[in-house]
Amino acid sequence: MSDMTQGNAPGQHYPPGQHPDMPPPPGTVGFVGWLRNNLFSSIPNSILTILAIYLLYAAIPPILGWAFFNADFEGASRTDCTAAGACWALIDVRGKQFLYGFYPDEELWRVYVAGFILLLAILPVLFDKIPFRKLLFANTILLPVTGFFLLSGTSGSPEAILPTVETPQWGGLLLTMVIGVTGIVASLPIGIALALGRRSNMPVVRTMCVTFIEFVRGVPLITILFMSSVMVPLFLPEGVNFDKLLRCLIGVSLFSAAYMAEVIRGGLQAIPKGQYEAAAAMGLSFWKMMYFIILPQALRIVIPGIVNTFIGLFKDTSLVLIIGLFDLLGIAKTVVTDANWIGLIHESYAFVAVIYWIFCFGMSRYSIWLEAKLHTGHKR
Amino acid sequence: MSEAAQTASVPEISDEVAIQIIGMHKWYGQFHVLKDINLTVRRGERIVVCGPSGSGKSTMIRCINRLEEHQQGQIIVDDIELTGNLKNIDAIRREVGMCFQHFNLFPHLTVLENCTLAPIWVRKVPKAEAEETAMEFLEKVRIPEQANKYPGQLSGGQQQRVAIARSLCMNPRIMLFDEPTSALDPEMIAEVLEVMVNLAETGMTMICVTHEMGFARKVANRVIFMDGGEIIEQNEPEEFFNNPQSERTQKFLSQILAH
Ligand SMILES: Nc1ncnc2c1ncn2[C@@H]1O[C@H](COP(=O)(O)OP(=O)(O)OP(=O)(O)O)[C@@H](O)[C@H]1O
Ligand SMILES: [Mg+2]
């Protein structure tokens, strides 16, 4: 310490070009320096720091106490929970319902297989330097078909390998994932098409896209779900009955596609005219220009907006409760009406909130990672 | 550029017509930008277009590859007339390369990818061959070592040279330049002009909008002066600079040669 201060002694001069490298003054680097620069840099900042520490102190121990230290983890009904904290026995006993709704027990393997296929399908989309990417991509492309047959079955007879499981039996996280993934997968391409249509110079195409977007954005999702489940059957001929879940999937996809279209249009507008002109001058056709030049740049700009829409969509799936589908939140709500577990709303909703949060936070982190990866140092 | 007018060693011009513009007019809404443009460019000819700002120079050369649409008259490039017919437009764009004032490189693609995209997807050249050609042209513009960088990592002069290489990779028969050096610092202007002089020496048909009079004297066969949407005067460079005919040309030349 002493020679450090010596080096900084005021008034010490060196001939030009002879100045040695010196350590920085004490208290400006390391842990103390960091504290000083970030948490206690001024009086208001110090007050805020202390206030924040106090709030953390006041909030965290009770939460931890409720969730872990004073909680019961086992039991057959809420009367088995004697501690003051949470009664996680609910999750222990009803966990299956949270995850799969009313999917028959002996067919659950299909859900696991579907989940595994989904995981494999997501990998090549998220990461471009993954081994066997081509193979995995084939799986991704087939996912709508394989997933559909796995989950809903191929034949009504119970002897079949994949007997039919009617969609009303689907529920919980399974249903949330089905709606969320379908919505995400469908809304991006539809959104791109709508955004391009809205910028088209063909008046008919443009008007149709604008009308669709403005109509869908102008009504709440609940309305659309309601219309798809109650109104659409009125227009269908007698005897034609198409699945409630399917109608709901279409509704959710179109709804988020309208939002997606506007996000993507923002990206398209940020691309300078010169990019279009250079591409056109090289003889690229409209679609090649869009695919190779414009969309890669436009989508990259709006990654935060796209992921934001995905997250919103994932959480909005909980509105399907209104048309009688029991997604994750729907299950959370019904489980606590059971006489054995009545009143355990905190535990039920907290559990569901954590699951939602894990997925949404995952999407958010991925988007940050992707942005950093795509930041190739280009400026315009 | 200095006034030293050493002429570059350029091949002969053929009698074949590369571009013919006959009685062409263009309007932006009510605004009459181009008025009765008549111009014949023979294969191998190098034409410099100059004139005050807003005189319609860019608009004219952009009509040649249909980045802008003309409303009256005819434009015939390589015996193909430019009409609304998309096939003709595509055919012409394959033969006509263009370099812009602001380079317009694709920032999300590497230099090499910028150069190979159109050959692969428009000309259907196999990837390996396209890359080989691209490297050849990048060597000609003397930046092969930058091939795997992104445009944003290059200087302005380097970017413009990449843009020239990118156009050349399509193997065009005609090159259009719209003020390729006017967004550049002086030391970068020299490197880009050098590349353009080399290009002229290969016998490429070129139309350059530029105010680089040294370049015009060195390589142009003809200098065209435009004002108010019309071609006011055209002549060989020596005649044009030493003995301008119209008053407007004289005024323009005195202004740009003054500084
Ligand atoms: N898209 C457009 N819409 C309306 N007017 C335009 C448009 N583009 C150009 N103009 C006008 O047309 C005229 C000619 O423009 P042009 O860009 O061809 O000029 P220029 O000779 O290239 O000028 P500069 O040397 O500044 O590049 C200008 O008056 C300009 O304001
Ligand atoms: Mg111009």
PDB file of all heavy atoms in Angstrom, chain B residues 28 31 33 52-59 179, ligand 1:
ATOM      1  N   TYR B  28     -41.940  12.986 -62.444  1.00  0.00           N
ATOM      2  CA  TYR B  28     -42.272  12.570 -61.073  1.00  0.00           C
ATOM      3  C   TYR B  28     -43.564  13.289 -60.730  1.00  0.00           C
ATOM      4  O   TYR B  28     -43.535  14.483 -60.423  1.00  0.00           O
ATOM      5  CB  TYR B  28     -41.198  12.995 -60.078  1.00  0.00           C
ATOM      6  CG  TYR B  28     -39.969  12.126 -60.052  1.00  0.00           C
ATOM      7  CD1 TYR B  28     -38.708  12.671 -60.281  1.00  0.00           C
ATOM      8  CD2 TYR B  28     -40.055  10.766 -59.766  1.00  0.00           C
ATOM      9  CE1 TYR B  28     -37.569  11.886 -60.238  1.00  0.00           C
ATOM     10  CE2 TYR B  28     -38.925   9.973 -59.731  1.00  0.00           C
ATOM     11  CZ  TYR B  28     -37.685  10.536 -59.968  1.00  0.00           C
ATOM     12  OH  TYR B  28     -36.574   9.753 -59.927  1.00  0.00           O
ATOM     13  N   PHE B  31     -43.950  16.821 -62.033  1.00  0.00           N
ATOM     14  CA  PHE B  31     -42.642  17.409 -62.270  1.00  0.00           C
ATOM     15  C   PHE B  31     -41.926  16.720 -63.432  1.00  0.00           C
ATOM     16  O   PHE B  31     -41.672  15.518 -63.408  1.00  0.00           O
ATOM     17  CB  PHE B  31     -41.836  17.318 -60.963  1.00  0.00           C
ATOM     18  CG  PHE B  31     -40.423  17.801 -61.068  1.00  0.00           C
ATOM     19  CD1 PHE B  31     -40.149  19.033 -61.634  1.00  0.00           C
ATOM     20  CD2 PHE B  31     -39.377  17.019 -60.597  1.00  0.00           C
ATOM     21  CE1 PHE B  31     -38.851  19.482 -61.732  1.00  0.00           C
ATOM     22  CE2 PHE B  31     -38.074  17.455 -60.694  1.00  0.00           C
ATOM     23  CZ  PHE B  31     -37.808  18.692 -61.258  1.00  0.00           C
ATOM     24  N   VAL B  33     -38.989  15.685 -65.041  1.00  0.00           N
ATOM     25  CA  VAL B  33     -37.547  15.598 -64.719  1.00  0.00           C
ATOM     26  C   VAL B  33     -36.668  15.418 -65.934  1.00  0.00           C
ATOM     27  O   VAL B  33     -35.579  15.978 -66.001  1.00  0.00           O
ATOM     28  CB  VAL B  33     -37.170  14.391 -63.828  1.00  0.00           C
ATOM     29  CG1 VAL B  33     -36.597  14.846 -62.547  1.00  0.00           C
ATOM     30  CG2 VAL B  33     -38.276  13.411 -63.666  1.00  0.00           C
ATOM     31  N   PRO B  52     -25.252  20.187 -62.930  1.00  0.00           N
ATOM     32  CA  PRO B  52     -25.541  20.645 -61.567  1.00  0.00           C
ATOM     33  C   PRO B  52     -26.475  19.692 -60.817  1.00  0.00           C
ATOM     34  O   PRO B  52     -27.128  18.844 -61.422  1.00  0.00           O
ATOM     35  CB  PRO B  52     -26.200  22.010 -61.764  1.00  0.00           C
ATOM     36  CG  PRO B  52     -26.590  22.064 -63.194  1.00  0.00           C
ATOM     37  CD  PRO B  52     -25.732  21.125 -63.939  1.00  0.00           C
ATOM     38  N   SER B  53     -26.513  19.845 -59.513  1.00  0.00           N
ATOM     39  CA  SER B  53     -27.364  19.006 -58.673  1.00  0.00           C
ATOM     40  C   SER B  53     -28.824  19.177 -59.063  1.00  0.00           C
ATOM     41  O   SER B  53     -29.281  20.285 -59.334  1.00  0.00           O
ATOM     42  CB  SER B  53     -27.151  19.407 -57.214  1.00  0.00           C
ATOM     43  OG  SER B  53     -27.966  18.616 -56.403  1.00  0.00           O
ATOM     44  N   GLY B  54     -29.536  18.076 -59.131  1.00  0.00           N
ATOM     45  CA  GLY B  54     -30.952  18.139 -59.475  1.00  0.00           C
ATOM     46  C   GLY B  54     -31.217  18.193 -60.958  1.00  0.00           C
ATOM     47  O   GLY B  54     -32.362  18.346 -61.380  1.00  0.00           O
ATOM     48  N   SER B  55     -30.178  18.027 -61.772  1.00  0.00           N
ATOM     49  CA  SER B  55     -30.391  18.160 -63.215  1.00  0.00           C
ATOM     50  C   SER B  55     -30.936  16.882 -63.843  1.00  0.00           C
ATOM     51  O   SER B  55     -31.263  16.871 -65.018  1.00  0.00           O
ATOM     52  CB  SER B  55     -29.075  18.556 -63.889  1.00  0.00           C
ATOM     53  OG  SER B  55     -28.073  17.618 -63.572  1.00  0.00           O
ATOM     54  N   GLY B  56     -31.010  15.792 -63.073  1.00  0.00           N
ATOM     55  CA  GLY B  56     -31.608  14.567 -63.603  1.00  0.00           C
ATOM     56  C   GLY B  56     -30.609  13.513 -64.040  1.00  0.00           C
ATOM     57  O   GLY B  56     -30.976  12.542 -64.698  1.00  0.00           O
ATOM     58  N   LYS B  57     -29.336  13.680 -63.651  1.00  0.00           N
ATOM     59  CA  LYS B  57     -28.306  12.710 -64.061  1.00  0.00           C
ATOM     60  C   LYS B  57     -28.613  11.328 -63.503  1.00  0.00           C
ATOM     61  O   LYS B  57     -28.635  10.336 -64.231  1.00  0.00           O
ATOM     62  CB  LYS B  57     -26.920  13.158 -63.549  1.00  0.00           C
ATOM     63  CG  LYS B  57     -26.569  14.582 -63.899  1.00  0.00           C
ATOM     64  CD  LYS B  57     -25.235  14.982 -63.307  1.00  0.00           C
ATOM     65  CE  LYS B  57     -25.171  14.978 -61.793  1.00  0.00           C
ATOM     66  NZ  LYS B  57     -25.897  16.060 -61.138  1.00  0.00           N
ATOM     67  N   SER B  58     -28.856  11.276 -62.190  1.00  0.00           N
ATOM     68  CA  SER B  58     -29.136   9.972 -61.573  1.00  0.00           C
ATOM     69  C   SER B  58     -30.382   9.375 -62.193  1.00  0.00           C
ATOM     70  O   SER B  58     -30.415   8.188 -62.536  1.00  0.00           O
ATOM     71  CB  SER B  58     -29.367  10.126 -60.077  1.00  0.00           C
ATOM     72  OG  SER B  58     -28.240  10.680 -59.465  1.00  0.00           O
ATOM     73  N   THR B  59     -31.409  10.185 -62.322  1.00  0.00           N
ATOM     74  CA  THR B  59     -32.664   9.683 -62.856  1.00  0.00           C
ATOM     75  C   THR B  59     -32.449   9.070 -64.231  1.00  0.00           C
ATOM     76  O   THR B  59     -32.983   8.006 -64.532  1.00  0.00           O
ATOM     77  CB  THR B  59     -33.696  10.823 -62.924  1.00  0.00           C
ATOM     78  OG1 THR B  59     -33.730  11.471 -61.663  1.00  0.00           O
ATOM     79  CG2 THR B  59     -35.067  10.293 -63.249  1.00  0.00           C
ATOM     80  N   GLU B 179     -22.196   8.622 -59.264  1.00  0.00           N
ATOM     81  CA  GLU B 179     -21.334   9.344 -58.322  1.00  0.00           C
ATOM     82  C   GLU B 179     -20.631   8.392 -57.357  1.00  0.00           C
ATOM     83  O   GLU B 179     -20.792   8.495 -56.142  1.00  0.00           O
ATOM     84  CB  GLU B 179     -22.147  10.377 -57.530  1.00  0.00           C
ATOM     85  CG  GLU B 179     -22.925  11.297 -58.458  1.00  0.00           C
ATOM     86  CD  GLU B 179     -23.221  12.637 -57.825  1.00  0.00           C
ATOM     87  OE1 GLU B 179     -22.448  13.057 -56.945  1.00  0.00           O
ATOM     88  OE2 GLU B 179     -24.211  13.260 -58.226  1.00  0.00           O
TER      89      GLU B 179
HETATM   90  N1  LIG C   1     -38.525   9.999 -56.178  1.00  0.00           N
HETATM   91  C1  LIG C   1     -38.619  11.288 -56.537  1.00  0.00           C
HETATM   92  N2  LIG C   1     -39.796  11.926 -56.468  1.00  0.00           N
HETATM   93  C2  LIG C   1     -39.919  13.228 -56.862  1.00  0.00           C
HETATM   94  N3  LIG C   1     -38.896  13.960 -57.320  1.00  0.00           N
HETATM   95  C3  LIG C   1     -37.685  13.396 -57.412  1.00  0.00           C
HETATM   96  C4  LIG C   1     -37.486  12.026 -57.026  1.00  0.00           C
HETATM   97  N4  LIG C   1     -36.184  11.717 -57.216  1.00  0.00           N
HETATM   98  C5  LIG C   1     -35.603  12.832 -57.703  1.00  0.00           C
HETATM   99  N5  LIG C   1     -36.495  13.840 -57.818  1.00  0.00           N
HETATM  100  C6  LIG C   1     -36.228  15.169 -58.345  1.00  0.00           C
HETATM  101  O1  LIG C   1     -35.793  15.001 -59.671  1.00  0.00           O
HETATM  102  C7  LIG C   1     -34.744  15.905 -59.971  1.00  0.00           C
HETATM  103  C8  LIG C   1     -33.576  15.153 -60.528  1.00  0.00           C
HETATM  104  O2  LIG C   1     -33.033  14.319 -59.517  1.00  0.00           O
HETATM  105  P1  LIG C   1     -31.699  13.504 -59.724  1.00  0.00           P
HETATM  106  O3  LIG C   1     -31.471  12.714 -58.513  1.00  0.00           O
HETATM  107  O4  LIG C   1     -31.759  12.777 -61.000  1.00  0.00           O
HETATM  108  O5  LIG C   1     -30.618  14.657 -59.835  1.00  0.00           O
HETATM  109  P2  LIG C   1     -29.074  14.539 -59.993  1.00  0.00           P
HETATM  110  O6  LIG C   1     -28.715  15.244 -61.232  1.00  0.00           O
HETATM  111  O7  LIG C   1     -28.645  13.139 -59.843  1.00  0.00           O
HETATM  112  O8  LIG C   1     -28.552  15.400 -58.775  1.00  0.00           O
HETATM  113  P3  LIG C   1     -27.346  15.133 -57.772  1.00  0.00           P
HETATM  114  O9  LIG C   1     -26.122  15.628 -58.438  1.00  0.00           O
HETATM  115  O10 LIG C   1     -27.703  15.980 -56.580  1.00  0.00           O
HETATM  116  O11 LIG C   1     -27.338  13.690 -57.464  1.00  0.00           O
HETATM  117  C9  LIG C   1     -34.445  16.656 -58.687  1.00  0.00           C
HETATM  118  O12 LIG C   1     -35.039  17.934 -58.771  1.00  0.00           O
HETATM  119  C10 LIG C   1     -35.110  15.851 -57.621  1.00  0.00           C
HETATM  120  O13 LIG C   1     -35.602  16.688 -56.615  1.00  0.00           O
END
